[in-house]
Amino acid sequence: MKIIVCKSKEEVAKEAAKFVIDLVKEKNDCILGLATGSTPLGLYNELINDYNENGTSYKNVTTFNLDEYVGIDPSHEQSYHTYMQSNLFDKIDIKQDNVNLPNAVGDLEANAKEYETRIKEAGGIDLQILGIGSNGHIAFNEPGEDFESVTRVIELMESTRNDNSIFFESLDEVPTHAISMGIKSIMGASKILLLATGEGKADAINKMINGEVDESLPASVLQRHNDTILILDEDAARKLDCK
Ligand code: F6R
């Protein structure tokens, strides 16, 4: 794993944007794996700014998001469909037909299977953006999930529901389940960029880099990926020296 430590979360966003923009320029029909949550918002802003200022085009780019909540409509203001539209897709020239998120309405098991197949048929992910949960989760793969897991329905842990409750009116409104790409699906990406900002991630970051590769900390599996870059701010990197 390569580690880049930046002075601020704004720099993390700029640094990450360089990787995405370089890839889109080099391979205009690339496949991007995208994440939601607070962490990638700065990155998406950088991509929008670059699109407006330099015209980098996403016309031929395809995207696959990591996950979607079960039990809320795609049009709900906290769905990941809505998040992606308002924070990125509506503001660049990507084609709606080329954006993919798990369909968390209807036959969930069948939808999850179909999503995994769709990623494979698209040729696999060139660059996957990841955040990390304070408990070390990646996508919604919670501690204890099998490293061989693929896209499926997942029950969210209480700690994750608590972390995400800031986006909802109350904890009760936070969905209990999601459809999420699995660890194996994520490990299939050619290149992975994991972004982490803030002290709340420092413990998980230290364990994923210096700890054992173990299912109790899902992100530790990235030690086995041959092209993963961690882009951290100083707060998230704070515990890295205390092995
Ligand atoms: C989002 C996702 C999650 C988040 C993680 C960190 O699509 O899959 O794993 O990346 O929960 O969330 P934030 O960035 O809000 O701290």
Side-chain angles (χ1 to χ4, degrees), residues 35-40 66-67 80 131-133 137-140 201:
T36 56
S38 324
T39 315
L66 288 169
D67 36 28
Y80 290 165
I132 182 170
H137 74 218
I138 46 175
F140 276 130
K201 304 293 170 71

Short mmCIF file of all heavy atoms in Angstrom, two decimals, residues 35-40 66-67 80 131-133 137-140 201, ligand 1:
data_model
loop_
_atom_site.label_atom_id
_atom_site.label_comp_id
_atom_site.label_asym_id
_atom_site.label_seq_id
_atom_site.Cartn_x
_atom_site.Cartn_y
_atom_site.Cartn_z
N ALA A 35 -17.92 5.95 -4.17
CA ALA A 35 -18.42 5.82 -2.80
C ALA A 35 -19.28 7.04 -2.46
O ALA A 35 -19.20 8.07 -3.13
CB ALA A 35 -17.24 5.74 -1.84
N THR A 36 -20.07 6.90 -1.41
CA THR A 36 -20.84 8.06 -0.91
C THR A 36 -20.28 8.42 0.47
O THR A 36 -19.16 8.07 0.79
CB THR A 36 -22.34 7.71 -0.84
OG1 THR A 36 -22.47 6.55 -0.03
CG2 THR A 36 -22.91 7.46 -2.22
N GLY A 37 -21.07 9.11 1.28
CA GLY A 37 -20.60 9.51 2.61
C GLY A 37 -19.97 10.89 2.58
O GLY A 37 -19.94 11.55 1.53
N SER A 38 -19.46 11.34 3.72
CA SER A 38 -18.89 12.68 3.82
C SER A 38 -17.54 12.78 3.10
O SER A 38 -17.22 13.81 2.49
CB SER A 38 -18.62 13.08 5.27
OG SER A 38 -19.59 12.58 6.12
N THR A 39 -16.75 11.72 3.20
CA THR A 39 -15.35 11.81 2.76
C THR A 39 -15.18 12.19 1.28
O THR A 39 -14.36 13.07 1.00
CB THR A 39 -14.60 10.51 3.09
OG1 THR A 39 -14.93 10.12 4.42
CG2 THR A 39 -13.11 10.67 2.95
N PRO A 40 -15.88 11.57 0.34
CA PRO A 40 -15.58 11.90 -1.07
C PRO A 40 -16.21 13.19 -1.58
O PRO A 40 -16.01 13.54 -2.75
CB PRO A 40 -16.11 10.69 -1.85
CG PRO A 40 -17.05 9.99 -0.97
CD PRO A 40 -16.85 10.46 0.44
N LEU A 66 -20.75 1.72 -4.72
CA LEU A 66 -20.53 0.61 -3.80
C LEU A 66 -21.81 0.05 -3.20
O LEU A 66 -21.91 -1.16 -2.98
CB LEU A 66 -19.67 1.08 -2.62
CG LEU A 66 -18.20 1.35 -2.89
CD1 LEU A 66 -17.59 2.06 -1.68
CD2 LEU A 66 -17.47 0.05 -3.16
N ASP A 67 -22.76 0.93 -2.92
CA ASP A 67 -23.87 0.45 -2.10
C ASP A 67 -25.10 1.35 -2.19
O ASP A 67 -25.03 2.47 -2.72
CB ASP A 67 -23.43 0.32 -0.62
CG ASP A 67 -22.45 1.41 -0.19
OD1 ASP A 67 -22.51 2.51 -0.76
OD2 ASP A 67 -21.64 1.17 0.71
N TYR A 80 -28.58 6.91 -1.77
CA TYR A 80 -27.29 7.14 -2.44
C TYR A 80 -27.49 7.51 -3.91
O TYR A 80 -26.63 8.16 -4.51
CB TYR A 80 -26.38 5.92 -2.26
CG TYR A 80 -25.88 5.77 -0.83
CD1 TYR A 80 -25.30 4.58 -0.38
CD2 TYR A 80 -25.98 6.83 0.08
CE1 TYR A 80 -24.83 4.45 0.92
CE2 TYR A 80 -25.51 6.70 1.38
CZ TYR A 80 -24.94 5.52 1.80
OH TYR A 80 -24.47 5.40 3.08
N GLY A 131 -14.15 4.98 1.05
CA GLY A 131 -13.98 5.61 2.36
C GLY A 131 -13.77 4.46 3.34
O GLY A 131 -13.68 3.29 2.94
N ILE A 132 -13.71 4.77 4.61
CA ILE A 132 -13.57 3.70 5.61
C ILE A 132 -14.44 4.06 6.81
O ILE A 132 -14.54 5.24 7.19
CB ILE A 132 -12.08 3.51 6.02
CG1 ILE A 132 -11.91 2.37 7.03
CG2 ILE A 132 -11.47 4.80 6.56
CD1 ILE A 132 -10.44 1.97 7.28
N GLY A 133 -15.11 3.07 7.38
CA GLY A 133 -15.91 3.31 8.58
C GLY A 133 -15.01 3.38 9.81
O GLY A 133 -13.87 2.87 9.77
N HIS A 137 -14.98 -0.74 8.34
CA HIS A 137 -15.73 -1.29 7.20
C HIS A 137 -15.36 -0.60 5.89
O HIS A 137 -14.92 0.55 5.90
CB HIS A 137 -17.25 -1.27 7.45
CG HIS A 137 -17.92 0.06 7.38
ND1 HIS A 137 -18.94 0.43 8.21
CD2 HIS A 137 -17.75 1.13 6.55
CE1 HIS A 137 -19.36 1.64 7.90
NE2 HIS A 137 -18.65 2.09 6.89
N ILE A 138 -15.49 -1.33 4.81
CA ILE A 138 -15.37 -0.74 3.48
C ILE A 138 -16.65 -1.11 2.73
O ILE A 138 -17.13 -2.23 2.85
CB ILE A 138 -14.10 -1.18 2.71
CG1 ILE A 138 -13.86 -2.68 2.78
CG2 ILE A 138 -12.89 -0.40 3.19
CD1 ILE A 138 -12.67 -3.16 1.93
N ALA A 139 -17.17 -0.15 1.96
CA ALA A 139 -18.57 -0.24 1.50
C ALA A 139 -19.37 -0.55 2.76
O ALA A 139 -19.08 -0.01 3.83
CB ALA A 139 -18.73 -1.26 0.39
N PHE A 140 -20.33 -1.47 2.73
CA PHE A 140 -21.03 -1.82 3.97
C PHE A 140 -20.60 -3.20 4.45
O PHE A 140 -21.36 -3.92 5.08
CB PHE A 140 -22.54 -1.72 3.80
CG PHE A 140 -23.07 -0.32 3.98
CD1 PHE A 140 -23.90 0.25 3.05
CD2 PHE A 140 -22.72 0.43 5.10
CE1 PHE A 140 -24.40 1.54 3.22
CE2 PHE A 140 -23.21 1.72 5.28
CZ PHE A 140 -24.05 2.28 4.35
N LYS A 201 -11.14 8.43 12.24
CA LYS A 201 -10.71 7.31 11.39
C LYS A 201 -9.31 6.82 11.76
O LYS A 201 -8.84 5.83 11.21
CB LYS A 201 -10.74 7.72 9.90
CG LYS A 201 -12.09 8.24 9.41
CD LYS A 201 -13.15 7.16 9.40
CE LYS A 201 -14.55 7.70 9.15
NZ LYS A 201 -14.81 8.15 7.82
C1 F6R B 1 -20.21 4.71 1.26
C2 F6R B 1 -19.59 3.56 1.92
C3 F6R B 1 -19.08 3.63 3.32
C4 F6R B 1 -18.36 4.92 3.66
C5 F6R B 1 -17.88 4.90 5.10
C6 F6R B 1 -17.27 6.22 5.52
O1 F6R B 1 -20.59 4.39 -0.05
O2 F6R B 1 -19.52 2.56 1.32
O3 F6R B 1 -18.22 2.55 3.55
O4 F6R B 1 -17.28 5.10 2.80
O5 F6R B 1 -18.94 4.60 5.96
O6 F6R B 1 -18.26 7.20 5.52
P1 F6R B 1 -17.91 8.74 5.70
O7 F6R B 1 -17.14 9.15 4.51
O8 F6R B 1 -19.24 9.43 5.78
O9 F6R B 1 -17.12 8.86 6.98
#
